[in-house]
Amino acid sequence: IEGKKKAKGKSATVCGYPISIFFIVVNEFCERFSYYGMRAVLVLYFKYFLRWDDDFATTIYHTFVALCYLTPILGAIVADSWLGKFKTIIYLSIVYALGQVILAVSAIHDITDANKDGTPDNMGFHVALSMVGLILIALGTGGIKPCVAAFGGDQFGDHQEKQRSTFFSIFYLSINAGSLLSTVITPILRAQECGIHTQQKCYPLAFGVPAALMVVALIVFIVGSGMYNKTAPQGNIMVKVCRCIGFAIKNRFRHRSSQYPKRAHWMDWAEEKYDKLLIAQVKMVLKVLFLYIPLPMFWGSRWTLQATTMNGDFGILIIQPDQMQTVNPILILILVPIMDSIIYPLIAKCKLNFTPLKRMTVGMFFAALAFVAAALVQIQIDQTLPKFPSSNEGQAKFINMMNKSLPIKAGANHNFLLSQANEDYLTFDKPFELILGDGIPEMVSLSDGTRNTMVIVQDGVQPRPIAFKDITSKPEQGANAIRFLNGFASTVNVTVRNEDFGDIVTNNMSKYIAVPQGNAEFLIRNNAGQVCVYNQKFGFGSSYTYIITPTFAFGPNVTNEYTLTPVCFLPNSIHMAWQIPQYFLITAGEVVFSVTGLEFSYSQAPSNMKSVLQAGWLLTVAVGNIIVLIVAEAATLPDQWAEYILFASLLVLVCIIFAIMAYFYTYIDPTKIEAQFAQKEPDEKQKRKSLEMARKDSVEHYKGDRRSSDSSSDSSSDEDDVIQQSKM
C-alpha cells in the first residue's frame, strides 16, 4: 500500500496538521466563493440580461445545479483510475476557470451592441457563450468536488485520525465561509452600473470576481504542490469493480442449485477470476453505498418561499426573504467549532459511544424536528393569509367611483350599500345576477380560480361595472404589488423609482408593479405637465390598489384625503425571527450529518476508491433534490404546512430505517484489511505459480513419454524390417 504513494520525505506539520492542508482549505474557500457567487446572480442574469421568462430561467438554473452534482462521479473515476487526484484537480480547475471567464465575457453587452442602445444586437451569441461557460463550470466544479475532500484526507497518516476528523470540519467551514461571503458580495457587485456605451447592471463584474477567485484557487493549490502526499492512480478501477460485481452475480446465478455449497458473501463468487484484495475492496464500497440508500431524503430543507410571506423588519436591520438563507452558513460557522470543541468531547467524557453513524442518525432526527417547526410557523402564517378562491370559485370586490352611495345586489346572498369600496372579496361558485341601484339586472360570470375588482362608473344615467383581474397569490420575494386606478377626468402617468406604470386613461387600471419594502415616492403627472408626489412606506408582501379620485387635486404633496387604498393583501405580520428555530435545528442536523458523512465516506473507503465514495456521497444531494421535487409535485397537498409534515414524517421513517441499517454495520479499517490481503497475495501468487509449474511439468512429462513411446515403436518396426530383409 505504501509503495503506491509517491516517495516523499516526512511532511512538515503545524499543530499536528500537515502544512499542505492549509493550501487545500484556502483553495476550497476560493472555489466555493467562486461557485456560490456566480450562482447567486445566475437566475437574474437569465431573466434580465438574456430576457428569458421565469419558467425557462428556473428550468435552466435547476438543470445546471443538477449537472454540478451529477458530474462528481466522472471526476472521481478519472482521479482514481487514470490521472490521480492532484492532476484531476489541476486540469479540471483550468476548465472551471475558463468556464467562469467565458460566462463573464458573455455578460458584456457592449460586445454586440453595435447601435449603442444598451441592448445586445446578437442575443444568440451571448446565450451560446453562456451555455458553453456553464457546461465547463459544471464539469469543473463537479469534477473536482469529490477529489478535493479525498485529497485532503490523503495528507494524513494512519496515526493522525483525530486530526483528519477535524480537517473535515474545517473543510466544511471553508465551504460555508466562501458561500456566505459570496452570496452577500456578488449581488452588491451586480447592482453596480457599468458599460462602455451605456450603463447597465454590472453582470460582467458579478461573474468576473468569482472567475478571478477561481484563478486564485488554482494558483494557491499549485503553490502547495511540493508538500502534497500524492497517491498514484491504480488503473481503471471502476471498470474492474463493475466487471467483478457482474462476474460474481453471473457466477452465483450459474451455481444457484442447492448442490453447491453456500459462500459467506455473494461477492465471494468472484474468487474464481478476481483477486481477494479487489473483492474485499468492492465489499467495503458496497457496504457504504448500501447505507447511502436512505440518505437523499435529508437534502430538502429550503424555506425561502415561506420567508416571502413573513415580515423581515428587525428594527436596525431589514432582512429580505432570500437573505434569510444566510442564517444557515452563519450558524454552520458557529456550530461546527462548538460541536468539535465542546459537544463531542462532553459526550466522550460521559462514556457514550457516539459513533459516526449514530451522529448521522441524530442529524436526520434534527432535520425532521426542523420540518415540524416549519409546519408550526406555516400554520400561524396561514391564519394571516387571505382566503383565495378554489379552482371552481371566483371572487369579486366592488369599488364605487360615483359621487353617491349605491345599493348593490350580487347573487341571492349579497345585498349591501356601497359608498366607496367593500373590504372583503365576495365568493361565487357560479354565474350570478348583478343589480346596481335600480338598474337592469345583468349576469356576471367570473373565471374559475380568479379574483376580480368590479369598478362601478357612471355611464350616462346608469351605473356600469368594469371588471379587472387581481393577483391570486402573495407577491414574490416579499415585494408589494401596487397598481393605480384612474378616476380623474384626464390621462395620468405614474412612476416609482425607475418603474413606470404607464399612461392610465380615465376609468382604467394600471398594471401591477412590484415595489420593495421601505419608503416609496410616487410621481403622478397629468397631461398639463402638473406633478404630484405621493410618499408611502411599505412592509413586506402587501398589495394595494391606489385610486386617483375624480376630486383629485394636483399640488406639491398628495395626502390620503385625495386617494383611496383598497387593500388586496395586508402586509406580512408573522416575523422572520420565527424561522430561526427551524434554521437552528436543520443546521445542527447538517453539521452532525454532513461533516460526519464526509469523514465516514473517506474513512470507510478502500485506498483506490476514496474519490468514488466522496462522489457517491455528493450524488445523494442530487438525488435528494430530485426526490423533493417529485414528492412536492406528486403529493399535491392543498396546504404548505401539510407538505412540511409529510417531509418530517418521511425523514422520521428514513431515520428509523437508517438507524436499523447502522446497527448492523461493522466498522472497518480499510488500510489494515488491504495490508492483510497484500501479505497473503504473494503466497497465493507463489502457490498459483507452483501449481502452474507443476501442471506444465506434468504436461511436458506426459508429452515426453508419448514421444519416447512413439520413437521406440518406430525403431522396433525398423529392426523388424532389417531382420526380414536378412532372412530374405
Side-chain angles (χ1 to χ4, degrees), residues 105-119:
V105 171
S106 77
I108 302 173
H109 65 273
D110 293 306
I111 292 177
T112 61
D113 187 13
N115 57 8
K116 303 178 183 179
D117 64 348
T119 304

Side-chain angles (χ1 to χ4, degrees), residues 285-310:
V285 170
L286 292 177
K287 273 178 73 177
V288 179
L289 289 179
F290 178 68
L291 271 180
Y292 284 173
I293 291 171
L295 300 189
M297 265 313 300
F298 180 86
W299 306 105
S301 325
R302 299 292 179 268
W303 300 300
T304 307
L305 289 177
Q306 187 184 60
T308 63
T309 57
M310 303 180 80

Side-chain angles (χ1 to χ4, degrees), residues 319-378:
I319 300 293
Q320 299 299 327
D322 55 344
Q323 291 176 326
M324 195 63 188
Q325 292 179 85
T326 58
V327 172
N328 177 252
I330 289 169
L331 284 173
I332 285 174
L333 295 176
I334 295 167
L335 287 177
V336 167
I338 290 173
M339 289 288 182
D340 276 0
S341 306
I342 300 171
I343 304 297
Y344 293 155
L346 276 176
I347 291 171
K349 282 189 177 180
C350 294
K351 306 294 184 186
L352 294 173
N353 185 22
F354 200 37
T355 60
L357 293 180
K358 286 179 182 175
R359 291 183 197 177
M360 292 170 72
T361 307
V362 170
M364 295 178 84
F365 184 69
F366 274 143
L369 289 178
F371 273 102
V372 172
L376 293 174
V377 170
Q378 190 63 46

Side-chain angles (χ1 to χ4, degrees), residues 116-171:
K116 303 178 183 179
D117 64 348
T119 304
D121 299 327
N122 185 358
M123 193 61 81
F125 173 79
H126 293 274
V127 171
L129 268 187
S130 301
M131 293 304 101
V132 170
L134 289 175
I135 290 168
L136 292 177
I137 290 168
L139 285 172
T141 188
I144 69 173
K145 206 186 288 271
C147 303
V148 177
F151 189 66
D154 286 347
Q155 306 311 305
F156 296 88
D158 296 337
H159 63 288
Q160 294 176 302
E161 193 173 329
K162 186 174 181 294
Q163 287 91 336
R164 184 166 58 208
S165 175
T166 307
F167 160 74
F168 283 108
S169 295
I170 296 168
F171 185 81

Side-chain angles (χ1 to χ4, degrees), residues 241-549:
V241 167
C242 293
R243 285 178 177 170
C244 183
I245 292 170
F247 180 78
I249 293 169
K250 281 194 292 185
N251 201 27
R252 176 70 186 90
F253 184 74
R254 276 197 222 106
H255 299 86
R256 62 188 181 278
S257 173
S258 57
Q259 68 186 30
Y260 297 104
K262 289 185 177 180
R263 299 188 184 181
H265 191 281
W266 62 271
M267 274 304 304
D268 292 333
W269 288 96
E271 286 179 354
E272 281 83 348
K273 188 174 180 181
Y274 292 93
D275 293 336
K276 287 187 176 180
L277 174 59
L278 178 64
I279 294 169
Q281 289 170 330
V282 172
K283 286 179 186 176
M284 295 179 215
V285 170
L286 292 177
K287 273 178 73 177
V288 179
L289 289 179
F290 178 68
L291 271 180
Y292 284 173
I293 291 171
L295 300 189
M297 265 313 300
F298 180 86
W299 306 105
S301 325
R302 299 292 179 268
W303 300 300
T304 307
L305 289 177
Q306 187 184 60
T308 63
T309 57
M310 303 180 80
N311 178 13
D313 188 351
F314 283 78
I316 58 170
L317 192 64
I318 301 296
I319 300 293
Q320 299 299 327
D322 55 344
Q323 291 176 326
M324 195 63 188
Q325 292 179 85
T326 58
V327 172
N328 177 252
I330 289 169
L331 284 173
I332 285 174
L333 295 176
I334 295 167
L335 287 177
V336 167
I338 290 173
M339 289 288 182
D340 276 0
S341 306
I342 300 171
I343 304 297
Y344 293 155
L346 276 176
I347 291 171
K349 282 189 177 180
C350 294
K351 306 294 184 186
L352 294 173
N353 185 22
F354 200 37
T355 60
L357 293 180
K358 286 179 182 175
R359 291 183 197 177
M360 292 170 72
T361 307
V362 170
M364 295 178 84
F365 184 69
F366 274 143
L369 289 178
F371 273 102
V372 172
L376 293 174
V377 170
Q378 190 63 46
I379 289 169
Q380 296 301 312
I381 291 171
D382 288 349
Q383 291 174 1
T384 67
L385 294 178
K387 185 182 183 300
F388 295 112
S390 65
S391 58
N392 58 355
E393 292 177 334
Q395 291 181 337
K397 172 182 277 193
F398 295 87
I399 295 176
N400 181 11
M401 296 297 288
M402 299 168 64
N403 57 5
K404 63 179 181 180
S405 296
L406 187 68
I408 294 177
K409 183 181 180 185
N413 302 321
H414 305 291
N415 288 285
F416 52 94
L417 185 67
L418 185 67
S419 57
Q420 292 178 330
N422 57 337
E423 291 184 6
D424 298 321
Y425 282 86
L426 308 178
T427 302
F428 303 92
D429 57 4
K430 58 185 178 183
F432 62 93
E433 188 179 68
L434 178 65
I435 303 174
L436 303 176
D438 54 0
I440 301 168
E442 64 175 292
M443 293 301 295
V444 176
S445 179
L446 303 176
S447 301
D448 288 339
T450 63
R451 283 187 147 197
N452 305 269
T453 294
M454 310 288 286
V455 178
I456 301 166
V457 299
Q458 188 76 46
D459 187 13
V461 295
Q462 292 292 330
R464 176 171 64 92
I466 305 173
F468 298 97
K469 287 282 192 300
D470 299 348
I471 58 175
T472 54
S473 62
K474 279 275 188 177
E476 291 182 1
Q477 296 297 315
N480 301 275
I482 308 299
R483 64 179 177 175
F484 281 81
L485 171 63
N486 182 17
F488 196 60
S490 67
T491 301
V492 298
N493 177 275
V494 183
T495 57
V496 58
R497 297 176 183 174
N498 296 323
E499 299 283 354
D500 190 349
F501 287 87
D503 292 333
I504 314 165
V505 299
T506 304
N507 292 332
N508 208 346
M509 192 86 75
S510 75
K511 63 184 179 181
Y512 280 106
I513 282 185
V515 179
Q517 183 274 343
N519 291 309
E521 184 178 83
F522 297 93
L523 299 180
I524 306 171
R525 296 180 180 85
N526 64 6
N527 288 337
Q530 293 175 300
V531 179
C532 282
V533 179
Y534 178 60
N535 291 290
Q536 183 68 43
K537 184 176 181 180
F538 293 106
F540 290 88
S542 66
S543 177
Y544 291 98
T545 299
Y546 285 102
I547 301 171
I548 302 173
T549 63

Side-chain angles (χ1 to χ4, degrees), residues 672-709:
K672 286 184 180 177
I673 293 172
E674 288 173 340
Q676 289 170 4
F677 279 101
Q679 288 171 357
K680 290 179 184 176
E681 232 174 36
D683 297 336
E684 287 187 3
K685 283 182 181 175
Q686 190 61 41
K687 284 179 185 176
R688 283 182 191 171
K689 202 171 182 182
S690 302
L691 286 169
E692 194 66 32
M693 290 294 292
R695 194 181 297 119
K696 280 182 180 177
D697 289 344
S698 62
V699 168
E700 289 295 325
H701 184 69
Y702 173 73
K703 284 181 178 176
D705 288 348
R706 285 289 303 271
R707 278 197 297 270
S708 61
S709 63

Side-chain angles (χ1 to χ4, degrees), residues 17-64:
Y17 294 90
I19 290 178
S20 55
I21 69 147
F22 295 103
F23 292 95
I24 294 169
V25 167
V26 172
N27 165 269
E28 183 66 11
F29 169 83
C30 294
E31 188 274 324
R32 290 290 86 187
F33 185 106
S34 174
Y35 173 73
Y36 283 106
M38 173 273 302
R39 220 175 83 169
V41 296
L42 194 58
V43 172
L44 295 174
Y45 171 71
F46 289 158
K47 187 174 177 180
Y48 297 113
F49 187 92
L50 298 182
R51 309 287 179 180
W52 291 347
D53 62 51
D54 288 359
D55 290 340
F56 189 62
T58 305
T59 300
I60 296 297
Y61 173 79
H62 284 298
T63 303
F64 167 71

